[in-house]
Amino acid sequence: MTILVIAEHDNSSLKGATLNAVTAATQMGDELHLLVAGSNCGAAAEAAAQVAGVSKVLVADAAAYEHQLAENVSKLIVELADNYSHIVAPATTNGKNYMPRVAALLDVAQLSDITAVESADTFQRPIYAGNAIATVQSLDSVKVITVRGTAFDAAAAEGGSATVEALDSEQDAGNSRFVSEEMAKSDRPELTAADVVISGGRGMGNGENFAMLETLADKLGAAVGASRAAVDAGFVPNDMQVGQTGKIVAPNLYIAVGISGAIQHLAGMKDSKIIVAINKDEEAPIFSVADYGLVADLFEAVPELEQKI
Amino acid sequence: MKVLVTVKRVIDYNVKVRVKSDNTDVDLANVKMALNPFCEIAVEEAVRLKEKGNATEIVVVSIGPKVCQEQIRTSLALGADRGVLIETDAAPESLSVAKLLAKVVEEEKPDLIIMGKQAIDTDNNQTGQMLAALLDMPQGTFASEVKVEDNSVSVTREVDGGLQTVALNLPAIVTTDLRLNEPRYASLPNIMKAKRKPLAVKTPADLGVEVKEHTKVLKVVPPAERQAGIKVASVDELVDKLKNEAKVV
Ligand SMILES: Cc1cc2nc3c(=O)[nH]c(=O)nc-3n(C[C@H](O)[C@H](O)[C@H](O)COP(=O)(O)OP(=O)(O)OC[C@H]3O[C@@H](n4cnc5c(N)ncnc54)[C@H](O)[C@@H]3O)c2cc1C
Ligand SMILES: Nc1ncnc2c1ncn2[C@@H]1O[C@H](COP(=O)(O)O)[C@@H](O)[C@H]1O
């Protein structure tokens, strides 16, 4: 069985989520191909060829794929589908955008956000904000799957020596157009891949106060996240939201500051190894998942923690 | 411009669902049900487009058992004009939902279709994209801003690194993210008025769609429980635990 994994990349480099998807894919079959669809994406393709366990890299380098528009990328993937038993992508916003189109065009189901591979056709995935885990068997001939990155280790980015094959197909549906993007810039590690994550909630009071968390984050090499309430209140940008409908994180250490612990927030972080909660309300539900809970005013506790850690 | 909005009946988002003891499914008996929050946002967005003069008619569609009429009525009370229920006791998978919706779209010919990005029961996040593919329409998923122009719609999307804006030719499909808008509450007079708005009921057979199974749920179990933790009395104790017990810093 040969598996096609769709690479997540920014044309110049491969994104970490690809490596987790590769690990999931190796549990489904024996041969692995990676598709790099982009524009001027030679560097990303070279990186893809280094990934351990990958035997072939397919490169579709064309203007229509520059921004991963789902209308175009899905058609490209469908063109290749005949050769594969499984088509796998990371459950990033890109993967979530184009993969269901691929499934529908192939007339098969999509298994979203899988967290375990039981066999080539049976997978686990969380439902109801992670309050239940379903074991689901696919009855389709081709399995279309998105992978929750935090549930699988990253494959080695180096050590592979895949052959690289250029595809000359350019699928342009012609009905959608990229206009602009506004990407948040940060020198800190990526939220979904960081070893330590410090998140702030409504209790932070305002955006300026997040500077406190950033100082602590810099000391710990941590990424900074947020609850939806903090994002909604405009304290921080949307891409920092952790939760059922935001990013899923599972770092070694998660520090929740001024976050109450709603079901939807827990869904995004409760698989973290160690959870610390700082909240002034000792009844806050976040304490039910915290390994170490500190009932305190965050405006005193966080600066003190930053000094003493 | 005609707008079609899809609404799903799901567990209320405040309820923590439990798994049945025989591990076949979650237990929805006597659980509070509601309009999927993302669908509520979809209805609100359509109503705002109507208030702005962009939309002339709003049709809401739901697929599921008879009780889904409640969620259609709620949507009508929020400002939609008429409802369509595709009645079925089977819980169709996303692909079948998309096929049923595709038939409704062929009949209704809307210019814009607004859906939730995700149903909070299955957490699938796929039906809108599937419908778009079946209809060969462009899609603006995870929308935080929607601007209708002459023959196109501009959609700002919440993506991993920030925000992305795309322009889509109409007809197009938009799926909503949480920050698109804050839904209003239905007023009592509007709830009364909604009772008299038209609601058509059809079956999958009427639409000529065979609801097929593509997956089988073998088991549903509760997630791994976390070990109960402890409360620490001070920052000093916290630092000590992190360094010497958990060894994570
Ligand atoms: C469909 C849907 C999807 C959602 N998805 C998500 C999601 O992905 N992620 C998410 O986070 N939420 C999500 N939510 C929202 C979620 O339900 C909660 O509303 C949200 O998580 C609350 O954020 P919060 O804990 O920061 O705010 P609050 O619940 O208001 O909690 C603030 C906490 O700060 C504490 N506090 C205040 N001041 C201080 C102080 N000085 N010192 C110490 N502690 C203090 C308070 O005691 C309180 O516990 C979703 C909701 C819906 C309906
Ligand atoms: N049974 C249904 N009836 C109406 N709309 C649905 C149904 N299932 C899914 N949808 C729509 O598709 C969106 C995404 O659902 P899902 O892909 O299941 O997460 C939902 O927010 C609804 O708008």
Side-chain angles (χ1 to χ4, degrees):
Chain A
M1 280 192 289
T2 310
I3 321 275
L4 180 66
V5 179
I6 320 299
E8 173 91 16
H9 64 89
D10 59 7
N11 292 315
S12 53
S13 65
L14 212 55
K15 296 276 176 172
T18 312
L19 301 174
N20 307 91
V22 163
T23 298
T26 53
Q27 299 172 14
M28 299 171 199
D30 34 38
E31 199 178 335
L32 228 87
H33 296 175
L34 256 181
L35 170 68
V36 178
S39 175
N40 291 319
C41 56
E46 258 171 56
Q50 306 294 312
V51 176
V54 176
S55 63
K56 197 200 282 186
V57 174
L58 303 172
V59 191
D61 196 330
Y65 307 134
E66 182 175 2
H67 301 286
Q68 312 278 313
L69 291 177
E71 296 80 2
N72 303 346
V73 172
S74 59
K75 290 192 180 199
L76 168 70
I77 297 169
V78 167
E79 224 178 80
L80 305 169
D82 272 353
N83 305 323
Y84 299 99
S85 59
H86 299 68
I87 302 175
V88 177
T92 52
T93 47
N94 272 329
K96 289 173 182 169
N97 196 32
Y98 59 71
M99 281 295 259
R101 281 189 91 107
V102 172
L105 293 173
L106 295 173
D107 197 26
V108 301
Q110 168 176 290
L111 295 160
S112 301
D113 224 9
I114 64 156
T115 51
V117 179
E118 289 197 354
S119 71
D121 68 0
T122 304
F123 310 90
Q124 291 178 13
R125 56 178 304 266
I127 53 177
Y128 291 89
N131 287 306
I133 310 292
T135 302
V136 187
Q137 183 179 28
S138 160
L139 308 176
D140 291 317
S141 56
V142 186
K143 280 101 183 126
V144 172
I145 292 168
T146 63
V147 173
R148 177 173 291 195
T150 54
F152 297 89
D153 292 334
E158 308 271 330
S161 56
T163 55
V164 178
E165 183 184 318
L167 303 170
D168 62 4
S169 136
E170 176 160 14
Q171 290 279 359
D172 190 349
N175 50 12
S176 68
R177 187 167 53 83
F178 168 86
V179 175
S180 62
E181 67 187 2
E182 221 178 284
M183 292 298 171
K185 280 188 231 59
S186 167
D187 297 331
R188 291 194 190 82
E190 212 186 318
L191 201 47
T192 53
D195 238 16
V196 181
V197 173
I198 306 172
S199 290
R202 200 196 309 269
M204 296 303 296
N206 60 42
E208 287 78 65
N209 290 336
F210 265 75
M212 239 166 39
L213 302 188
E214 285 159 11
T215 323
L216 179 59
D218 289 340
K219 201 153 172 189
L220 295 173
V224 179
S227 72
R228 176 192 167 195
V231 174
D232 274 1
F235 300 173
V236 290
N238 65 278
D239 63 299
M240 286 170 64
Q241 180 182 320
V242 170
Q244 179 188 16
T245 54
K247 289 200 173 120
I248 309 290
V249 303
N252 271 326
L253 173 61
Y254 187 88
I255 308 181
V257 183
I259 292 179
S260 62
I263 303 172
Q264 294 84 8
H265 188 78
L266 302 186
M269 46 63 79
K270 72 179 162 52
D271 292 329
S272 305
K273 193 158 154 263
I274 298 289
I275 297 174
V276 171
I278 301 176
N279 196 305
K280 67 178 182 192
D281 172 12
E282 62 175 315
E283 301 291 325
I286 189 77
F287 287 123
S288 69
V289 299
D291 298 280
Y292 305 116
L294 178 63
V295 180
D297 187 328
L298 70 93
F299 296 104
E300 286 160 23
V302 174
E304 189 183 342
L305 181 61
E306 196 255 310
Q307 257 179 25
K308 291 182 172 167
I309 210 155
Chain B
M1 186 176 82
K2 183 166 169 179
V3 181
L4 189 126
V5 181
T6 60
V7 296
K8 188 176 187 188
R9 174 185 172 89
V10 297
I11 188 168
D12 184 274
Y13 80 94
N14 282 310
V15 177
K16 188 172 173 197
V17 74
R18 285 187 198 291
V19 170
K20 282 187 189 167
S21 55
D22 65 1
N23 290 341
T24 53
D25 202 350
V26 296
D27 193 356
L28 292 181
N30 304 316
V31 166
K32 186 172 174 214
M33 301 295 279
L35 196 55
N36 183 44
F38 291 99
C39 300
E40 200 175 346
I41 294 170
V43 174
E44 175 67 31
E45 193 64 15
V47 173
R48 291 188 189 187
L49 288 176
K50 195 173 171 189
E51 288 168 348
K52 269 195 271 181
N54 282 323
T56 47
E57 189 187 20
I58 303 167
V59 182
V60 282
V61 187
S62 190
I63 297 167
K66 193 170 184 151
V67 281
C68 295
Q69 293 199 8
E70 290 173 20
Q71 280 63 46
I72 295 181
R73 291 286 171 205
T74 305
S75 312
L76 296 174
L78 291 171
D81 297 299
R82 66 189 166 86
V84 178
L85 171 65
I86 317 292
E87 195 176 324
T88 164
D89 286 329
E93 295 174 22
S94 293
L95 181 60
S96 299
V97 170
K99 285 181 182 177
L100 291 163
L101 292 172
K103 291 288 178 190
V104 178
V105 169
E106 278 166 24
E107 281 176 16
E108 297 279 350
K109 300 195 171 42
D111 304 285
L112 185 65
I113 302 165
I114 312 182
M115 305 172 67
K117 83 163 177 182
Q118 181 171 339
I120 61 163
D121 49 4
T122 61
D123 282 334
N124 267 346
N125 194 334
Q126 53 183 236
T127 309
Q129 298 88 315
M130 286 181 159
L131 179 61
L134 296 178
L135 298 168
D136 203 14
M137 282 187 193
Q139 68 190 37
T141 51
F142 328 142
S144 62
E145 198 181 348
V146 174
K147 277 193 254 166
V148 175
E149 282 134 28
D150 282 343
N151 285 311
S152 70
V153 57
S154 156
V155 181
T156 300
R157 310 178 50 233
E158 299 202 357
V159 295
D160 283 338
L163 296 170
Q164 181 195 61
T165 303
V166 290
L168 314 173
N169 297 351
L170 293 177
I173 291 184
V174 168
T175 76
T176 62
D177 217 318
L178 292 169
R179 272 164 293 278
L180 181 56
N181 61 49
E182 221 174 291
R184 69 195 65 193
Y185 290 96
S187 67
L188 198 56
N190 284 344
I191 293 172
M192 300 312 290
K193 252 203 275 176
K195 293 190 174 150
R196 291 189 303 274
K197 289 185 179 174
L199 196 170
V201 181
K202 296 182 182 183
T203 65
D206 293 341
L207 297 170
V209 174
E210 190 202 345
V211 175
K212 238 180 86 188
E213 280 198 341
H214 292 264
T215 61
K216 211 159 95 188
V217 175
L218 304 182
K219 193 167 73 181
V220 176
V221 298
E225 279 296 319
R226 284 192 77 89
Q227 294 277 342
I230 56 159
K231 291 248 170 75
V232 291
S234 65
V235 170
D236 287 314
E237 190 186 346
L238 177 60
V239 172
D240 174 59
K241 293 283 185 197
L242 291 177
K243 284 194 167 144
N244 302 316
E245 193 176 83
K247 300 192 167 59
V248 284
V249 291

